[in-house]
């Protein structure tokens, strides 16, 4: 869902197919349309209101997205958008209504970028602490998640000066000795933690909450590595940003900086492998991977 979770933002124009797919749940839950229905590669969505409350109606159209919805239900609004109703692959989610935006904050300069990193770290730590109920069905372990990196490294052992091979070896070592096992967000970045109203402001403000989780479990450090590749190339590869952000993450989480560098390399390799295998630009992830290698060498 990314930042489309905000009121008034859409991934595309009005979509008759999405509107028709969502109609049964609009009727069942007594929802009033608050904008046009639209489609993403994994969902049909629509901003709606239920008894005046702003919400998002979401119907997962691929299995991975449906599994992420089960994680949202399991978190039960603790550190993540609350699920107001659920039926099969359809969810009614509370809608972010705050004015603050982590992408803009990160792009505002080093101080803003560091503040955004701290917010993301605290959001992830809050989610990682939840483990009071049987875990949701369908969780995938990180070794399976890294499968495409291992395959891509075997097929491209010398690409980018051996980056994929180095990243795959580091991932193997980290996965063999995890520092813990938590339900992960799996896609923690600046567009997936949104402002649901200041907690010290108007009544009902819930602060920064996560949306769009994957369905992963494993070493908690995995979730923080993605911050280093985001929110966009100009920020991620800005001079001095990589080392500064590693220090901020280490300070916020207590994770050893060297271990963060190792996860940064592993994650950057995985992200670059995904991009190359789908025909997208892998430049940002490759750049972050090279920064991780240089930092580790020092």
């Amino acid at each position: 869902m990314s930042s489309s979770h905000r009121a008034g933002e859409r991934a595309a124009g009005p979509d008759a197919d999405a509107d028709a797919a969502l109609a049964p749940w609009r009727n069942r839950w007594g929802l009033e349309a608050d904008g046009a229905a639209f489609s993403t590669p994994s969902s049909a969505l629509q901003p709606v209101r239920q008894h005046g409350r702003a919400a998002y109606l979401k119907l997962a159209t691929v299995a991975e997205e449906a599994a992420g919805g089960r994680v949202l239900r399991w978190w039960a609004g603790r550190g993540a958008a609350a699920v107001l109703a659920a039926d099969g692959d359809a969810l009614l989610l509370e809608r972010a209504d705050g004015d603050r935006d982590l992408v803009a904050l990160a792009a505002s300069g080093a101080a803003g970028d560091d503040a955004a990193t701290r917010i993301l770290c605290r959001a992830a730590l809050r989610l990682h602490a939840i483990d009071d109920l049987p875990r949701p069905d369908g969780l995938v372990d990180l070794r399976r998640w890294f499968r495409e990196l291992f395959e891509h490294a075997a097929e491209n052992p010398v690409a980018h000066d051996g980056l994929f091979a180095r990243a795959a070896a580091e991932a193997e070592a980290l996965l063999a000795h995890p520092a813990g096992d938590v339900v992960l967000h799996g896609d923690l970045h600046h567009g997936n933690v949104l402002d649901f109203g200041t907690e010290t402001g108007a009544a009902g403000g819930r602060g920064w909450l996560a949306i769009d989780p994957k369905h992963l479990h494993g070493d908690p450090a995995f979730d923080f590595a993605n911050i280093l590749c985001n929110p966009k190339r100009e920020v991620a590869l800005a001079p001095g940003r990589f080392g500064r952000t590693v220090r901020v993450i280490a300070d916020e989480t207590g994770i050893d900086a060297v271990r963060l560098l190792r996860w940064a390399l592993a994650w950057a390799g995985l992200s670059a492998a995904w991009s190359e295998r789908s025909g997208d630009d892998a430049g940002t992830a490759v750049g972050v991977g090279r920064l991780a290698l240089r930092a580790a060498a020092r």
Side-chain angles (χ1 to χ4, degrees), residues 28-29 54 88 99 125 249 282 293:
R28 186 172 309 166
W29 292 330
D99 295 328
L125 290 171
I249 295 171
L293 283 171

Side-chain angles (χ1 to χ4, degrees), residues 30 38-40 43-44 66 77 91 100 116 124 142 169 189 192 196 210-211 221-222 226 251 260 290:
F38 60 95
S39 297
T40 72
S43 304
L91 301 177
R100 299 171 297 173
L142 282 177
H189 61 70
N192 275 345
F196 282 75
I211 62 167
F222 170 85
N226 195 24
D251 182 61
L260 283 172
R290 286 174 169 157

Side-chain angles (χ1 to χ4, degrees), residues 58-72:
K58 176 178 181 179
L59 175 65
T61 54
V62 299
E64 182 179 299
E65 194 74 13
R70 291 193 291 273
V71 174
L72 272 181

